[in-house]
Amino acid sequence: MVEVLLAGGGTAGHVNPLLAVADELRGRDPETGITVLGTASGLEARLVPERGYRLTEIPRVPLPRRPSADLFRLPGRLRAAVRAAGDAIDARGVQVVVGFGGYVSTPAYLAARRRGVPVVIHEQNARPGLANRLGARWAHSVAVTFPGTPLRGARLTGLPLRPEIAALVADLAADPRGVRAAAAGVLGLDPDLPTLLVTGASSGALSLNRAVAGAAADLLGAGAQVLHLTGAGKADAVHAVVDDVPGADRYHVLEYLDTMQHGLAVADLAVCRAGAGTVVELAAAGVPSVFVPLPVGNGEQRLNAAPVVAAGGGLLVADADLDPAWLRATVVPLLADRDRLSAMSAAARTVGATDGAARVADLVLDAAGERR
C-alpha cells in the first residue's frame, strides 16, 4: 500500500486538482493511504472531508511579497507549520508528498526534504507561484498545466480534471443535446435559449457582477438567459439590479454552484476570470469564453487564457474595460451568432489534455516506487 500526502488549499484552483489526483489514486488502488494537508480557513476544510479524505490542519503561512509586519512573524510561523507537516508525514509513514502550491505546500516541501521523502509538484498556472518555484528546486517530478511554464524539469500533464468534469466531457462527446437538456432541467433553465454563464470563480468578482448585471436588460431583451454565479455574499447586490428588469425570470442568480458540470453543460458562452481551473474546464467542455483576467497578482491569469484565445476559443478583455457598453457591443451579438459560437467551441476543445489526473498519478506512483 502506498501512503501519499497531498498539500494544497485556500481556493478551488488548488483544491479541485488535488481531489482529482486523490480520486485517481484511490480508483487505481482503494487501499492507497491519502492524507490531505490544509488549513482550517480554506475551501479544503469543507471539500476534503465531503469527498471522504482525511484532512490534517496546519497553520496558514502566507509568504509576504513586500516588507511588512508579517515578514517578521514568518520564521516562527513557518517553523510551526513545517513541524506540523513533518508530524503528518511521520504519523502515516508517507512515501511521497504531492504539492499543488499555495500557503500549505511550502511547509510540506520543506518537511519532506528533511526526511528524504520525494516530492511531486503540480503547478496550475502558466506563471508559477512562490511555493512551487521553491519546491521545484529539489522535486522528484514537476507537472504543469500549460506549455512554457518556467519550472525546472517541468512535464506537461495538463490540469487534473475533477471526475465530474471529465465525465461531462465524455458525455458531451456522446450526446451533447441530451446532456444539455438534462443539465437545464436540474438548474431550472430552458435548454433551447442561448445561455450566458457568468462566474468570477469561487470567491466571485465584483467587477464582473456589476458589468453583467448592468447589461441585464440588453441580454434579456435579446432573448438570452443568464446563469450568474456571484460568489459568497454577493448575490443581493446583483438581485437589486436585475430583479426589476423585464424578463428577469430568465436571469438566474446563485452564489455558488457545487455541480459546475451542469453549468458547463448548458453554457453557450461564459464571461469569467481566467484562473487555471476555469480556463481548462471551460476549454475541455468546449465553452467559448470571454476571459477577464484578475487585475492584481503576478499576471498569471492573462497567461493562462492565452492558449485558448490564440486557438480562437475565447476573447480577452481587461478588467478595466469590462462594462455594460462593452458587453452590449460584443457579448450580445456573439450570443446570437450560432456559427461563430460553434467554431469557437471546436477551437477551445483543441487546447490542453483531459487526462491530467492520470498523468500526475503516474508521476506520484513512480516517486513512491523509488522511495520503496
Side-chain angles (χ1 to χ4, degrees):
M1 184 180 78
V2 176
E3 283 286 344
V4 181
L5 184 143
L6 300 107
T11 68
H14 291 126
V15 180
N16 285 334
L18 181 155
L19 291 174
V21 173
D23 289 346
E24 176 70 20
L25 291 167
R26 275 279 173 86
R28 296 186 185 192
D29 182 358
E31 298 301 313
T32 300
I34 302 287
T35 300
V36 179
L37 208 61
T39 70
S41 58
L43 199 59
E44 67 274 15
R46 176 173 67 87
L47 295 183
V48 169
E50 282 181 359
R51 194 67 71 92
Y53 295 114
R54 178 189 306 109
L55 178 68
T56 297
E57 294 177 1
I58 67 169
R60 182 176 179 270
V61 188
L63 300 178
R65 295 180 180 271
R66 56 183 60 87
S68 68
D70 284 337
L71 187 61
F72 298 102
R73 301 187 190 103
L74 178 62
R77 288 176 172 174
L78 186 58
R79 279 195 299 271
V82 171
R83 190 181 310 116
D87 289 346
I89 292 171
D90 296 339
R92 303 297 302 178
V94 166
Q95 294 157 280
V96 57
V97 168
V98 189
F100 295 83
Y103 299 138
V104 177
S105 293
T106 299
Y109 297 156
L110 293 172
R113 188 186 191 194
R114 292 178 181 178
R115 289 159 174 77
V117 174
V119 168
V120 174
I121 287 173
H122 184 275
E123 173 56 54
Q124 294 85 42
N125 291 302
R127 180 173 287 166
L130 293 173
N132 282 351
R133 293 208 305 270
L134 173 68
R137 295 178 182 177
W138 63 81
H140 178 279
S141 300
V142 177
V144 297
T145 299
F146 300 106
T149 302
L151 286 175
R152 181 185 302 173
R155 305 186 194 189
L156 184 63
T157 62
L159 186 76
L161 292 176
R162 292 177 280 171
E164 56 269 29
I165 302 300
L168 171 67
V169 173
D171 292 343
L172 285 171
D175 182 16
R177 192 179 298 274
V179 171
R180 179 185 177 96
V186 171
L187 296 173
L189 301 176
D190 186 334
D192 296 322
L193 291 180
T195 304
L196 178 68
L197 171 66
V198 184
T199 174
S202 54
S203 299
L206 286 174
S207 59
L208 270 67
N209 290 349
R210 290 168 179 158
V212 180
D218 301 279
L219 292 164
L220 299 173
Q225 65 187 347
V226 180
L227 176 60
H228 191 150
L229 311 180
T230 66
K234 299 179 174 70
D236 288 347
V238 173
H239 275 297
V241 175
V242 306
D243 282 358
D244 292 330
V245 173
D249 58 306
R250 287 183 277 114
Y251 200 110
H252 302 259
V253 180
L254 298 172
E255 290 193 349
Y256 188 77
L257 182 61
D258 281 320
T259 57
M260 191 61 179
Q261 66 272 22
H262 294 139
L264 298 180
V266 299
D268 294 294
L269 180 67
V271 173
C272 54
R273 287 295 191 214
T278 299
V279 171
V280 172
E281 290 184 355
L282 286 165
V287 179
S289 302
V290 174
F291 296 113
V292 190
L294 191 69
V296 297
N298 62 5
E300 75 274 8
Q301 289 205 354
R302 180 174 290 272
L303 296 175
N304 292 346
V308 177
V309 174
L315 305 177
L316 193 70
V317 58
D319 188 84
D321 295 333
L322 184 76
D323 59 18
W326 191 92
L327 291 163
R328 279 192 292 272
T330 306
V331 169
V332 171
L334 180 55
L335 270 171
D337 191 339
R338 289 289 178 181
D339 290 340
R340 187 179 177 196
L341 287 174
S342 179
M344 291 177 71
S345 175
R349 286 194 180 94
T350 66
V351 179
T354 58
D355 60 347
R359 296 188 187 199
V360 174
D362 288 342
L363 298 178
V364 173
L365 295 177
D366 285 347
E370 291 190 18
R371 172 69 170 172
R372 289 199 300 270

